[in-house]
Amino acid sequence: MDDARTGKAEAQDTGARHVTVRQRHAEMIRMVRETGFATIQSLADHFGITPQSVRRDINTLNAKGLLQRYHGGAGPCLSTENLDYLDRKVLCLAEKRVIGQMVARAIPNKSSLFINIGTTTEEVARALGGHKNLRVITNSLNVASILTGNPEVEIIVAGGLIRHHDGGIVGEAAIDFIRQFKVDFGIIGISGIDMDGTLLDFDYREVRAARAIMENSRQVFLVTDHTKFGRNAMVRLGNIEEIDALFTDKTPPVGVLDQMKRGNVKLHVDEGTKD
């Protein structure tokens, strides 16, 4: 009898995971970030699944750096350390590619651009492969390498200190270089967006370069996937109301949307990406 019940519960749970795993993970992340901590049992009750399934979900999200696993539940990730570059590169890759394509459609030929460091901005660079007569200034060796495949793009690379783990160029020399230009579009990524719209990152040197890009672009496009909403990081870049448009794969939380409305920020969202 007990075996039959267990088998039935596992079958129901397997079906729920197959249909709603992406939505459940997103909701779980939101709940944990808003409350600060959620027990396994409370999550199981909320989603109508077994505690064992909740533990599997938490383990998956912990491995991706989206939640912190604790005994008996989960809490937000700590704010002092980002995921490794190779982990970030594959996390939400399909969503990042969709975001890159949306941005590329919004960039006309013969434009000038800043593109900063980040795995999402790298996907923007890939999506610009068919554009003509672009001038791109970047502080990312990866972005520059991607764009070299298009002879129609003039690439200008900032000088400065190269970060070995992700090819980012940071430091005073990079900031001074960026400030010599005024471009049509500044395309920036971010590590976290607080519920009050604060833009957050982990490296103050990268933040200073991104700030210089914002200040020297006629339009600023922020590119980020849904996992960054409510994510912790310790260095403040600014507020989302300071940008011109947000490109993402999922509608932001209400608090972020409120800040966007105050700043008249345009939202470009494509929720069609599937697991």
Side-chain angles (χ1 to χ4, degrees), residues 61-169:
L61 296 171
N62 179 81
K64 292 181 177 180
L66 301 175
L67 291 180
Q68 184 73 37
R69 182 183 59 214
Y70 294 101
H71 178 71
C77 289
L78 302 179
S79 63
T80 57
E81 187 174 354
N82 202 359
L83 291 173
D84 289 339
Y85 171 74
L86 292 179
D87 292 330
R88 288 185 282 122
K89 193 173 179 66
V90 298
L91 181 62
C92 294
L93 179 58
E95 288 87 344
K96 291 172 182 177
R97 285 174 174 166
V98 169
I99 292 166
Q101 291 161 5
M102 285 195 295
V103 174
R105 289 194 293 268
I107 301 294
N109 292 325
K110 302 180 181 180
S111 297
S112 58
L113 299 83
F114 286 125
I115 302 180
N116 82 336
I117 305 164
T119 55
T120 309
T121 54
E122 289 173 18
E123 293 305 321
V124 174
R126 286 191 177 89
L128 291 171
H131 278 57
K132 298 181 181 298
N133 297 322
L134 295 183
R135 288 189 175 182
V136 177
I137 302 148
T138 184
N139 62 328
S140 167
L141 292 181
N142 293 332
V143 166
S145 177
I146 291 165
L147 290 170
T148 55
N150 183 354
E152 294 283 346
V153 179
E154 180 179 282
I155 308 160
I156 306 171
V157 181
L161 177 67
I162 298 175
R163 298 193 309 204
H164 292 285
H165 66 277
D166 65 356
I169 303 171

Side-chain angles (χ1 to χ4, degrees), residues 153-267:
V153 179
E154 180 179 282
I155 308 160
I156 306 171
V157 181
L161 177 67
I162 298 175
R163 298 193 309 204
H164 292 285
H165 66 277
D166 65 356
I169 303 171
V170 295
E172 292 297 327
I175 295 167
D176 290 343
F177 185 83
I178 290 168
R179 286 175 175 161
Q180 295 181 63
F181 301 90
K182 187 76 172 183
V183 302
D184 300 319
F185 302 96
I187 301 171
I188 61 171
I190 200 69
S191 293
I193 304 174
D194 210 343
M195 292 304 174
D196 64 359
T198 302
L199 306 179
L200 301 166
D201 223 310
F202 292 93
D203 189 333
Y204 77 95
R205 299 169 302 174
E206 184 175 345
V207 164
R208 291 195 63 205
R211 189 74 219 176
I213 288 174
M214 291 173 66
E215 292 169 353
N216 291 281
S217 301
R218 295 180 180 91
Q219 293 189 65
V220 178
F221 290 175
L222 177 65
V223 297
T224 184
D225 66 79
H226 68 277
T227 64
K228 308 301 173 55
F229 299 130
R231 187 180 182 216
N232 289 336
M234 65 177 292
V235 187
R236 186 181 185 276
L237 170 61
N239 193 279
I240 199 165
E241 65 184 31
E242 298 179 72
I243 68 169
D244 295 285
L246 170 66
F247 293 78
T248 187
D249 64 300
K250 191 175 180 67
T251 302
V254 173
V256 177
L257 286 174
D258 289 343
Q259 289 298 119
M260 292 175 63
K261 289 176 183 176
R262 291 189 184 97
N264 196 28
V265 179
K266 295 180 181 178
L267 174 62

